[in-house]
Amino acid sequence: MEIKKKDIRALTKEQLREFFVKQGDKAFRGNQVYEWLWQKSAHSFEDMTNISLDTRQMLQDNFVINHIKVDQMQRSSDGTIKNAVRLHDDLIVESVLIPTATRTTACVSSQVGCSLDCKFCATARLKRMRNLNPDEIYDQVVAIDNESRLYHNRPLSNIVFMGMGEPLMNYNNVLKAIDKITSPEGLGMSPKRIVVSTSGVPKMIKKMADDEVKFKLAVSLHSAIDEVRTSIMPFNATFPLSDLREALQYWYAKTKNRITYEYVVWDGINDKRKDVDALVEFCKFAPSKVNLIEYNPIDDGEFQQANSRALDMYVDVLEANNITVTVRRSRGKDIDAACGQLANKG
Ligand code: SAH
């Protein structure tokens, strides 16, 4: 019977050092291998050229490197790239590279599918299969960084956790991945360039504040009226806006980090004056700004983007109340790479 080999990247650096000491080798060997695994993103033990052949063979006998594989890459006419990423157990997630004049952003997935049931999101139809491991999240970033250098002649500059899944329902692994992304032993990126987007899980937002995380927080609000929000994001019945508000106030008090609210305006759902007024009130609870996102239609046409009059009203009323608002244009729609369109359609 074949023994199931352990995923070597599940080990911390300290554990790797201890492993080598137990093998009668030097702890330092652990540092070297760790560097190959993370900083140099080695796909196999054979790549580790400063490690002796015997040691490489010993590692091969004991461990696997479950590296992701970019199965399919699609490039949009606007420069957006979508990767279909195959995991070691053959499940697929998607990640997206979004170039603008000044930055390249990676939009990465945190789960295979999603357990939430947002009515307007294509990923919701997939159901949640499993959480991604820290290395699977990290590898998506490395793959996009490589593509950014190759196709746009510059390194990746920003990361948003806005792909498949709810990052705060895979909190520990997301945090471990971000640790690697920001560590000099990984990609050495600034946490200020990372945004974790959540549908709003109050107790996890508080936990993030307690953990004093340094990345930014975005909340997919879409409505500041409980009844409306519950109708499009059913889990709002369990975590109502009052709980979300309290958690966000706690977040700001602890981190002093302004919150971004992501918001789509839909025809007949949240396009009235009362909807904007409720949003203005909600924005007053903690320093924040509003990102109005363009709706990316998913198959059945149940939801439609509100007309530009409604959008203008939002912008006018928010600005009149001194709330920063930006209108974000969608990217990569022609390859189903835009927000909420990730559903493994290929
Ligand atoms: N679960 C997390 C991250 C994934 S969704 C969250 O809810 O924030 C990333 C963003 O895309 C969220 O703001 C989400 O509300 C938005 N989104 C989902 N479906 C969309 C669609 N069809 N069009 C535009 N934005 C969408």
Side-chain angles (χ1 to χ4, degrees):
M1 197 182 81
E2 203 188 330
I3 310 161
K4 204 166 172 298
K5 294 182 195 173
K6 222 176 140 142
D7 173 8
I8 191 165
R9 287 189 298 170
L11 301 185
T12 62
K13 189 171 172 183
E14 214 29 64
Q15 288 168 332
L16 208 51
R17 285 164 57 87
E18 281 166 19
F19 170 80
F20 277 101
V21 172
K22 274 203 201 112
Q23 296 286 320
D25 201 337
K26 297 197 180 67
F28 171 70
R29 201 74 59 222
N31 299 16
Q32 287 179 311
V33 171
Y34 192 83
E35 191 175 302
W36 277 110
L37 292 174
W38 295 103
Q39 207 168 29
K40 298 182 185 157
S41 248
H43 281 49
S44 78
F45 296 111
E46 281 159 40
D47 294 346
M48 304 183 175
T49 44
N50 63 350
I51 308 290
S52 76
L53 278 175
D54 285 352
T55 306
R56 282 188 246 163
Q57 186 58 50
M58 181 275 290
L59 289 171
Q60 180 83 46
D61 294 342
N62 284 281
F63 298 105
V64 285
I65 303 176
N66 284 331
H67 220 280
I68 63 160
K69 220 175 96 212
V70 177
D71 236 22
Q72 198 194 16
M73 189 194 88
Q74 286 173 277
R75 291 174 73 188
S76 157
S77 50
D78 66 15
T80 304
I81 295 176
K82 180 168 83 170
N83 291 335
V85 165
R86 187 176 293 275
L87 309 171
H88 66 91
D89 52 2
D90 278 339
L91 291 171
I92 307 266
V93 291
E94 293 177 335
S95 26
V96 184
L97 176 158
I98 309 152
T100 65
T102 51
R103 28 167 97 173
T104 312
T105 302
C107 174
V108 298
S109 295
S110 55
Q111 299 181 312
V112 188
C114 190
S115 57
L116 301 179
D117 191 21
C118 302
K119 299 298 177 201
F120 46 83
C121 180
T123 308
R125 318 237 157 128
L126 297 175
K127 304 300 167 211
R128 193 193 80 98
M129 312 280 281
R130 71 168 171 88
N131 283 338
L132 292 188
N133 297 327
D135 47 275
E136 292 169 328
I137 297 171
Y138 182 84
D139 288 352
Q140 292 177 65
V141 175
V142 172
I144 299 229
D145 185 34
N146 289 338
E147 288 167 353
S148 179
R149 289 166 199 268
L150 187 63
Y151 297 105
H152 297 279
N153 296 315
R154 58 188 186 199
L156 180 67
S157 61
N158 296 71
I159 302 172
V160 294
F161 280 81
M162 295 187 189
M164 293 175 165
E166 169 48 52
L168 295 197
M169 293 196 169
N170 184 18
Y171 180 71
N172 288 337
N173 290 352
V174 166
L175 220 62
K176 282 186 192 159
I178 293 178
D179 272 352
K180 291 279 179 342
I181 293 165
T182 52
S183 144
E185 288 173 330
L187 296 177
M189 279 182 71
S190 162
K192 301 230 155 26
R193 294 176 170 273
I194 301 176
V195 179
V196 168
S197 173
T198 175
S199 47
V201 189
K203 108 170 168 263
M204 298 313 294
I205 292 174
K206 285 187 174 172
K207 167 116 181 65
M208 268 167 53
D210 287 338
D211 288 345
E212 296 179 8
V213 300
K214 298 284 182 284
F215 49 79
K216 294 185 177 163
L217 173 64
V219 174
S220 304
L221 193 60
H222 303 309
S223 174
I225 301 173
D226 268 318
E227 206 188 348
V228 178
R229 195 165 191 261
T230 302
S231 73
I232 51 176
M233 303 171 80
F235 70 90
N236 186 72
T238 321
F239 307 122
L241 288 162
S242 53
D243 291 1
L244 181 59
R245 163 192 174 168
E246 196 214 325
L248 293 171
Q249 286 174 322
Y250 186 86
W251 160 268
Y252 186 77
K254 283 230 155 178
T255 67
K256 294 287 176 283
N257 250 332
R258 176 161 89 148
I259 302 144
T260 299
Y261 296 124
E262 298 162 271
Y263 202 104
V264 178
V265 188
W266 286 286
D267 193 30
I269 291 179
N270 56 357
D271 58 350
K272 302 288 180 306
R273 179 64 199 239
K274 68 171 178 21
D275 298 293
V276 196
D277 290 341
L279 176 59
V280 167
E281 283 312 302
F282 199 85
C283 285
K284 288 180 183 162
F285 298 145
S288 48
K289 64 172 180 171
V290 174
N291 227 335
L292 292 177
I293 323 177
E294 201 182 323
Y295 177 57
N296 304 307
I298 57 173
D299 291 341
D300 50 19
E302 194 191 328
F303 287 85
Q304 247 137 48
Q305 162 99 34
N307 60 30
S308 55
R309 269 212 336 271
L311 223 61
D312 290 346
M313 170 183 69
Y314 262 88
V315 173
D316 291 347
V317 175
L318 288 166
E319 282 181 346
N321 283 278
N322 296 320
I323 297 161
T324 307
V325 52
T326 51
V327 181
R328 200 170 75 195
R329 226 168 39 87
S330 246
R331 307 290 304 270
K333 267 196 209 178
D334 56 339
I335 53 168
D336 277 336
C339 280
Q341 289 188 317
L342 301 184
N344 295 345
K345 275 202 287 188

